[in-house]
Amino acid sequence: MTMDKFLVPAVAKPLDGEVEIAGAKNAVLAIMPAALLADGISEISNVPHLKDMKTMSDVLRIIGCRIDGENHKLRIDTRGANHLEAPYELVKTMRASFYVLGPLVARFGRCRVSLPGGCAWGPRPIDLHLKGLEALGAKINITHGYVEATCEGRLKGGTFHFPISSVGATVNLLLAATLAEGESILQNAAIEPEIDNLVDYLISMGAKIQGRGTRTLIIQGVESLTPGKGETIADRIEAGTFLCGAVITRGRVKVTHMVPEHIMSVLNVFKEIGCDVAIGDSWVEVDARNKSLKPISVTTLPYPGFPTDLQAPLMATLASIEGNSLIQDTIYHDRFTHIAELKRLGADIQLNGNTATIIGGKSLEGADVMASDLRASAALVLSGLIAEGETTISRIYHLDRGYEDFEAKMAKLGATVSRIRPELA
Ligand code: EPU
């Protein structure tokens, strides 16, 4: 873990320019474990260079896979996979490591995966992953902080109804159901674009899945799958973050190599605020220059609603707009650790339950602040861009988990965000 900090020197010019969006971290995190379902070398392209990809590679290496890659391509060779365990040291640093549970029990009939433990913004249960796997015939035993999953022969196709929409539990069950005996039906499955990306990848491996893009996924289990090949979709959260940058600095940003349809809820928010939004086939431009922007109310929801992952960047943005805005997070009720840090910069935000009232338009002053999670880090950088004087953001290892070449992309848009390495400080 590096202790790098970011220094945002003074008020930035309005952002102006174009950035290319990288592959979606959360899609790759679901696709990499899919490789475990087959014997051989699977390939994934458009993979971002991020800490989380390295952590998932480490998890797969412990299992016995060989992983290499260059130019945003990854090759995962599963021929040596025989150590059916994901240890606490890795799972605790990245919850998505838990995704190996489904494919390992489906293909090998047993595995042992550490419970993820807590998260900076409150409890994040995994009960649906476990109940869902039990519905497919897995026996689950929790002992010494580990989940042990076993099955006699193959998993058995079954029906599971998700009481709430869960991206992670949908991933785990989908992975497991591909190799189960007979038909599985996942009702009220998540429909985030990253799930569609995984479905396409699994289909490239020979999986039989119907209902892509809908809340009912029907999987005809097959006896074996072949190695996969596929391309990662663009990161809609990275795109949304840079577009927030356009709004907060009253500039203009074009994001390219992305899928506009994936961020429609976000673009609607920008339009409601009063920005111009232009949409192309693989790009979006948000123009906030010389606009008088209005406060709004936003509620985070499962896709296609406004994503919880953009709640913090949007909050920073709304704090720059005169008037009272509201943000309610219905996905994670405690994901608000960034509020205290935004307040240190001078923002006026009150939290009541899972709803934040942002009394916008206060001028911000640079300060030392601390990132508490990935998206909170981005929010702090955005606020730093409009704060008078220097802002220093510590613990940016959080940001490095999810934004590739962040400083370089900011520089392309005309902003200075410098990385300070402790040994150079
Ligand atoms: N939930 C349960 N039980 C479960 C699983 C989830 O109650 O077994 C609840 C959660 O507590 C939450 C809701 O269901 O209230 C939705 O959680 P979900 O399972 O969809 O979240 P996740 O799969 O753990 C993924 C992303 C998150 C993103 C959320 C919501 C990955 C690796 N992570 O998490 O992304 O915030 O979906 O969209 O895909 C990030 O990238 O920074 C990040 C945290």
Side-chain angles (χ1 to χ4, degrees), residues 178 200-209 220-228:
T178 55
D200 290 339
Y201 196 82
L202 290 170
I203 289 174
S204 87
M205 301 177 75
K208 303 253 178 298
I209 304 168
Q220 308 293 339
V222 293
E223 241 173 86
S224 64
L225 291 167
T226 52

Side-chain angles (χ1 to χ4, degrees), residues 25-26 124-128 164 166-168 309 331-332 375:
K25 159 184 93 77
N26 288 348
R124 290 177 67 188
I126 39 95
D127 55 318
L128 300 176
I164 53 171
S166 163
V167 176
D309 289 340
I331 310 287
Y332 294 114
R375 308 304 169 185

Side-chain angles (χ1 to χ4, degrees), residues 163-213:
I164 53 171
S165 187
S166 163
V167 176
T170 301
V171 168
N172 233 332
L173 259 71
L174 193 50
L175 290 167
T178 55
L179 287 181
E181 209 175 320
E183 181 177 274
S184 296
I185 304 180
L186 306 183
Q187 297 167 340
N188 196 29
I191 53 169
E192 269 66 6
E194 293 75 23
I195 301 281
D196 290 357
N197 202 186
L198 173 63
V199 167
D200 290 339
Y201 196 82
L202 290 170
I203 289 174
S204 87
M205 301 177 75
K208 303 253 178 298
I209 304 168
Q210 285 172 290
R212 177 189 184 281

Side-chain angles (χ1 to χ4, degrees), residues 55-75:
T55 308
M56 186 58 90
S57 297
D58 289 345
V59 172
L60 296 177
R61 279 195 191 100
I62 282 189
I63 292 168
C65 302
R66 293 171 70 114
I67 296 164
D68 63 74
E70 72 285 325
N71 298 328
H72 294 96
K73 283 203 173 72
L74 262 189
R75 269 183 305 276

